[in-house]
Amino acid sequence: MIIGTVREIKNHEYRVGLTPESVQELTAHGHQVIVETNAGAGIGASDNAYALAGADIAATAADVFARAEMVVKVKEPQAVERAMLRKGQILFTYLHLAPDPEQTRDLITSGATCIAYETVTDNQGGLPLLKPMSQVAGRMSIQAGATALEKANGGRGVLLGGVPGVLPANVVIIGGGVVGFNAAMMAVGMGADVTILDRSPDVLERLDSHFKGAARTLFSSHANLAKAIIDADLVIGAVLVPGAAAPRLVTKDMLATMKPGAVLVDVAIDQGGCFETSHATTHAEPTYIVDNIVHYCVANMPGAVARTSTYALNNAVLPHAIAIANHGWKAALARDHNLLAGLNVWNGAITCAPVAHALGLGYVDPASAIS
């Protein structure tokens, strides 16, 4: 198979779909890899490194899209990239379609076969291709929140861990999954006063056992959430409904109950955000203020630590990319029901039920695509 990867063009996105090491693995399996020039610059991977790994270097993204049978990316294709997709071409990347009708429409029109990292599952019901970026984003959310809390950045002027004689910051984390757990580890490690809310008794029990009193756990009822954020200096939105739009749990009216200068970090912004006042921001302008509350809503947080993120993502993605390349996408998905769960768009139809429901579009069972 001819596999291509291009330089990411989303604002301040420095990750890349394939590392030179991944290229070497793919070429060892007999596949041809095309890499756009300077695609790996953000992780310190030169064109020469890719060439030594066996890749052909293309002058433009258009060259890659024109030749590749499968395009492996990181972020959802931007409009100019979607215009280059063709019928039957495989796109393997993060898509986050539920809050993005424009992208969804373009992918349907393209006729491409679009497999989304974020809905590929594993045998334990987890999301293995989303997990590494959730780990990164969860840990980064505390760094970002601590910076936003500084007075010069519009925050309350509170040091996350406090100092002897002065209380630490109060951190509230909504959601105890991968993002929430990693956020809590960082916040606890920095000495913050941490409360984690979740609706699953099993998750709450697991968190309580892990943190052994270093972080409190609380059932995420509306009343408990509303009460918790009143005293919060930093609130992390770490809610995920796989494939679907995130629920809006913190309303605009609730902001009035919070301390002026408190910070909201919405890690769920890729799926539309879990705060009513959230809208996507960029690393160039990461924050804005609504009703005296600082909002950090960067939609590609892991892009800021591109090298760590790229290698973590490639570790998870590469086995699936090899399977698709070795067997063809139909056979690969037929052999692996977890990979089949990643099929979001096929032959001009939506094959992910939560996406179809969120956007009010028709749904086709993905099994139809491989039958």
Side-chain angles (χ1 to χ4, degrees), residues 95 206 282:
L95 293 176
R206 185 166 65 249
T282 68

Side-chain angles (χ1 to χ4, degrees), residues 75 96 98-99 130 134 137-138 141 174-175 179-180 235-241 244-249 264-275 278-281 296-302:
K75 290 306 293 177
H96 300 292
L130 187 62
S134 295
S141 70
I174 310 171
V179 171
V235 180
I236 307 296
V239 179
L240 174 68
V241 179
R248 297 296 182 98
L249 299 179
L264 302 179
V265 176
D266 198 340
V267 186
I269 194 64
D270 272 338
Q271 294 293 124
C274 59
F275 307 134
S278 289
H279 65 74
T281 61
Y296 179 101
C297 304
V298 175
N300 61 327
M301 290 176 65

Side-chain angles (χ1 to χ4, degrees), residues 170-174 195 197 218 221-235 254 257-258:
N170 184 310
V171 177
V172 172
I173 300 170
I174 310 171
T195 300
L197 293 96
L218 192 63
S221 65
H222 179 81
N224 283 342
L225 175 59
K227 184 177 179 181
I229 67 170
I230 291 173
D231 296 321
D233 297 295
L234 172 60
V235 180
M254 293 166 75
T257 70
M258 297 179 67

Side-chain angles (χ1 to χ4, degrees), residues 138-162 169-171 183 186-187 190-192 233-236 261-265 287 294 296 301:
R139 297 179 186 209
M140 281 191 69
S141 70
I142 300 302
Q143 294 180 194
T147 300
L149 271 171
E150 295 175 12
K151 194 67 178 176
N153 296 322
R156 297 193 67 232
V158 173
L159 182 65
L160 210 64
N170 184 310
V171 177
M186 291 291 284
M190 294 175 73
D233 297 295
L234 172 60
V235 180
I236 307 296
V263 174
L264 302 179
V265 176
T287 63
V294 180
Y296 179 101
M301 290 176 65

Side-chain angles (χ1 to χ4, degrees), residues 5-9 13-20 34-51 55-61 63-64 306 310:
T5 200
V6 294
R7 181 175 58 84
E8 297 290 328
I9 58 175
E13 180 54 70
Y14 303 108
R15 290 172 289 181
V16 63
L18 295 171
T19 64
I34 310 166
V35 177
E36 182 186 0
T37 185
N38 292 322
I43 66 164
S46 67
D47 287 352
N48 186 55
Y50 280 104
D56 295 334
I57 306 302
T60 67
D63 293 336
V64 175
T310 294

